[in-house]
Amino acid sequence: MLELNRAALQQRTEEHELHQLFWECTLRCNLNCRHCGSDCRMLSEKDDMPLPDFLKVLDEIKTHEDPSNVMVITTGGEPMMRRDLACCGGEISKRGFVWGMVTNGMLLTPERLNEFVKNGLKSIAVSFDGFEDDHNWMRGNPQSYKNVLVAVEALKQHPGLTWDVITCVNQRTIKYLPEFRDFLISLGITRWRLFTVFPFGRAAGDPELQLSNEQFVEMLEFIKQTRLEGKIRADYGCDGFLGKYEGEVRNHYYSCSAGINIASILADGSISGCLSIRSDYHQGNIYQDSFWDVWQNRFEQYRDRKWMRTDDCAKCKMWRYCLGNGMHLRDGEGKLQVCQYKKLLGSEPA
């Protein structure tokens, strides 16, 4: 299966069809999350990107790709800080693109969700980081947990909407994952993504956010068992190659699709791969460059990962399948900050 996945990735890389486009539509945020990679604030120094500027990019993409095959994901910051977000989604949908959203859930009332669905929203992911004390600790707001519960109840009223909740597992929540899983099931949640926090932005140097090697394996074993039970679809996020756990803890085998099938437009117009990438691997800017020209001709850094085969990666026997791990785990100098496969090896007795 690893060989088949490798061959499929090679073909996808050669074709590099655009499947997902993230739009960092604002840098404003209404929370102060401990792990924020963007380090966003309530009052951002940078203005929201005007909708017409982003629509020009979509109109350009439409001349080359079938828009129904491209999901546009509005994110931030917190995208719902934009009062015109429903209008933005409506314009995205009118052009034939699939519209999705990632949100912290603070502003996701039933009324606003109804407005989004009327304007074509098809997919949404909401952060839900544990029981009340720990969720609010993570999100930096005493009302966050209660608002997420309101959001979940609203989402349940839209059976045609694809949605899930996302949990960033840390030192606090690893202790009660089974109980939290059962709680999510009792709420009627059917899809659950679990992530580990990578050490960038505010999360850098925060030991409470990082799992030990043994805890990391404990989490993967928990996800594996939860999937076998089949009461809720649990998936580990796209972070990293997982060795023997490939095919066991998510619905796909590992590959980093940044710059291969995924692109991002940042709030300042920068063109990049995945928005999780916090180091500067930008390839152009929509205010100076043609997005499509950049996508076709300037993403070699993403599509040929040989430059990443340094340090531990140079001698790793799993390079063939991992290709240096996710680019969001590389710093500005190209050095790998986190290796999940190494964590797995480090958890095994000598």
Side-chain angles (χ1 to χ4, degrees):
M1 289 303 299
L2 289 174
E3 284 295 329
L4 288 173
N5 185 64
R6 179 176 180 271
L9 177 60
Q10 287 179 323
Q11 183 174 346
R12 287 197 293 113
T13 303
E14 291 172 6
E15 296 170 350
H16 53 264
E17 296 178 348
L18 184 64
H19 294 164
Q20 286 186 334
L21 179 65
F22 286 90
W23 180 28
E24 190 180 57
C25 63
T26 182
L27 284 177
R28 292 180 293 139
C29 190
N30 51 0
L31 290 181
N32 186 34
C33 301
R34 296 180 68 91
H35 65 306
C36 182
S38 304
D39 200 17
C40 299
R41 295 172 174 83
M42 179 75 76
L43 297 174
S44 173
E45 296 176 358
K46 186 165 294 298
D47 293 336
D48 297 348
M49 179 181 287
L51 176 60
D53 296 355
F54 181 66
L55 294 180
K56 288 179 182 177
V57 175
L58 297 188
D59 290 338
E60 182 182 9
I61 293 172
K62 275 189 65 174
T63 65
H64 302 279
E65 291 273 13
D66 180 349
S68 66
N69 294 329
V70 181
M71 172 170 278
V72 176
I73 303 173
T74 51
T75 184
E78 168 52 47
M80 292 180 64
M81 293 292 286
R82 289 186 67 127
R83 294 184 180 276
D84 67 342
L85 187 61
C87 175
C88 295
E91 292 298 325
I92 292 168
S93 299
K94 284 178 187 176
R95 285 161 171 77
F97 293 87
V98 182
W99 175 35
M101 186 198 312
V102 179
T103 177
N104 60 37
M106 279 289 288
L107 301 174
L108 192 59
T109 61
E111 295 76 18
R112 203 152 186 210
L113 180 58
N114 289 340
E115 185 182 17
F116 294 148
V117 171
K118 288 178 182 177
N119 280 276
L121 183 69
K122 299 299 183 186
S123 175
I124 187 167
V126 180
S127 300
F128 200 169
D129 286 313
F131 290 121
E132 186 166 9
D133 287 347
D134 294 329
H135 176 90
N136 290 342
W137 168 82
M138 189 74 154
R139 297 287 158 180
N141 188 299
Q143 299 302 314
S144 181
Y145 179 85
K146 293 177 181 177
N147 287 22
V148 169
L149 292 181
V150 171
V152 166
E153 289 304 310
L155 289 165
K156 288 160 56 178
Q157 306 308 310
H158 294 274
L161 189 64
T162 298
W163 61 280
D164 64 0
V165 298
I166 301 174
T167 299
C168 291
V169 183
N170 57 67
Q171 287 285 339
R172 294 186 175 207
T173 50
I174 187 68
K175 301 171 184 177
Y176 57 72
L177 285 180
E179 291 81 5
F180 189 58
R181 173 200 57 202
D182 295 344
F183 176 63
L184 296 182
I185 293 171
S186 75
L187 292 178
I189 294 169
T190 60
R191 294 170 180 250
W192 183 27
R193 270 185 290 166
L194 297 90
F195 281 81
T196 43
V197 181
F198 49 95
F200 286 86
R202 296 179 193 159
D206 189 337
E208 287 192 271
L209 296 180
Q210 308 301 322
L211 300 182
S212 69
N213 294 345
E214 292 74 20
Q215 288 171 327
F216 183 65
V217 172
E218 177 187 343
M219 180 195 67
L220 295 180
E221 286 288 343
F222 165 76
I223 296 173
K224 179 180 175 181
Q225 183 59 38
T226 297
R227 290 171 63 86
L228 290 173
E229 292 172 2
K231 296 178 181 178
I232 186 171
R233 186 179 126 176
D235 294 281
Y236 181 59
C238 56
D239 285 354
F241 176 74
L242 299 176
K244 66 180 182 180
Y245 287 99
E246 288 296 324
E248 301 281 357
V249 295
R250 52 192 168 201
N251 279 11
H252 59 86
Y253 280 69
Y254 171 74
S255 64
C256 176
S257 295
I260 296 172
N261 302 117
I262 297 173
S264 297
I265 306 296
L266 278 66
D268 65 356
S270 296
I271 302 168
S272 188
C274 173
L275 265 182
S276 293
I277 299 172
R278 287 298 148 196
S279 298
D280 185 355
Y281 292 106
H282 307 336
Q283 307 301 306
N285 191 290
I286 65 168
Y287 293 111
Q288 288 87 42
D289 305 297
S290 156
F291 172 84
W292 195 253
D293 177 66
V294 171
W295 175 252
Q296 291 288 44
N297 301 307
R298 297 197 204 172
F299 271 75
E300 197 61 24
Q301 193 174 23
Y302 290 87
R303 295 168 190 162
D304 184 351
R305 305 284 177 96
K306 293 186 181 70
W307 64 271
M308 295 164 67
R309 195 167 190 179
T310 59
D311 302 323
D312 288 343
C313 292
K315 56 183 181 294
C316 180
K317 65 181 181 180
M318 289 297 172
W319 166 266
R320 180 178 181 85
Y321 309 117
C322 176
L323 297 179
N325 219 345
M327 282 188 66
H328 68 291
L329 299 173
R330 301 258 165 183
D331 66 14
E333 303 301 317
K335 293 201 175 285
L336 185 62
Q337 302 300 297
V338 178
C339 174
Q340 286 82 1
Y341 182 64
K342 193 173 180 180
K343 277 179 168 285
L344 298 178
L345 296 180
S347 71
E348 296 176 357

